[in-house]
Amino acid sequence: WSLLRQMGQVLKDGELPTLKHFKQDSRKVRRYFEALEMIFVLKKIACHEEGVGTDCWLPTDTGLASAFMGTMHGEGANLSLMRIAVYNELLALNEYAGKRIRPVYYKTARSAPVDLIWNDTAIKISCLPKSQLSYDERILESAVKKLNLKQGLLCNRYSDIHLPQKKSKTKDA
């Protein structure tokens, strides 16, 4: 259970859990994680071949992640839960369409990770307020350019939506 508690702390911090985050011997941790992957508790996400990251593991369910974290307060915890939900949705949609995808993420030496490279698209998941999204936009734009992808998607939660009001077509009498 020590590994799962440590994973919960990494998830609370909003990071992608890699072997370097754990105190135990990396070979043993990898074996445990591979066993947990076989029983669908964890899902391995590889780093893109042009990235500098290593394999990371995420819980397969937001409920499991919440249990590992203990508390779900904070931006990092919300980011981890959003990542898991987006991964699960994309995997499910592709599975229903009869396609299997192997999700990968992209990490450079100096920036936060781009959460998913899929179907010639870079996807960055963010919990930052709208006023602070320019940092994540730059990371995403850099990944699209470096990997020569068609597009980038920035996923963010919204607390409110502002739609333009429809103009009235009634005439004054």
Side-chain angles (χ1 to χ4, degrees), residues 62-126:
T62 55
L64 287 172
S66 300
F68 299 163
M69 289 189 281
T71 179
M72 295 183 298
H73 299 292
E75 186 178 301
N78 287 336
L79 177 59
S80 293
L81 294 173
M82 284 179 61
R83 279 182 178 139
I84 294 165
V86 169
Y87 281 133
N88 286 343
E89 189 65 23
L90 286 175
L91 289 171
L93 288 172
N94 281 281
E95 189 74 27
Y96 297 149
K99 301 175 188 171
R100 287 199 152 258
I101 65 168
R102 187 181 143 252
V104 296
Y105 75 100
Y106 175 71
K107 171 93 174 83
T108 65
R110 288 182 267 163
S111 70
V114 173
D115 299 290
L116 185 62
I117 306 297
W118 168 71
N119 204 17
D120 217 17
T121 301
I123 300 173
K124 175 80 176 125
I125 301 166
S126 176

Side-chain angles (χ1 to χ4, degrees), residues 39-83:
I39 61 171
F40 305 106
V41 172
L42 298 179
K43 173 76 176 157
K44 181 167 71 171
I45 316 269
C47 185
H48 192 278
E49 60 268 2
E50 292 193 38
V52 298
T54 58
D55 293 345
C56 73
W57 282 266
L58 286 176
T60 56
D61 183 72
T62 55
L64 287 172
S66 300
F68 299 163
M69 289 189 281
T71 179
M72 295 183 298
H73 299 292
E75 186 178 301
N78 287 336
L79 177 59
S80 293
L81 294 173
M82 284 179 61
R83 279 182 178 139

Side-chain angles (χ1 to χ4, degrees), residues 132-161:
Q132 297 175 1
L133 285 178
S134 62
Y135 175 72
D136 285 336
E137 289 172 349
R138 285 193 304 269
I139 293 170
L140 184 61
E141 185 178 15
S142 171
V144 168
K145 185 176 179 181
K146 169 81 175 162
L147 301 175
N148 198 27
L149 301 172
K150 287 183 182 175
Q151 62 184 344
L153 298 175
L154 181 59
C155 300
N156 191 305
R157 61 174 192 215
Y158 288 100
S159 58
D160 57 339
I161 297 174

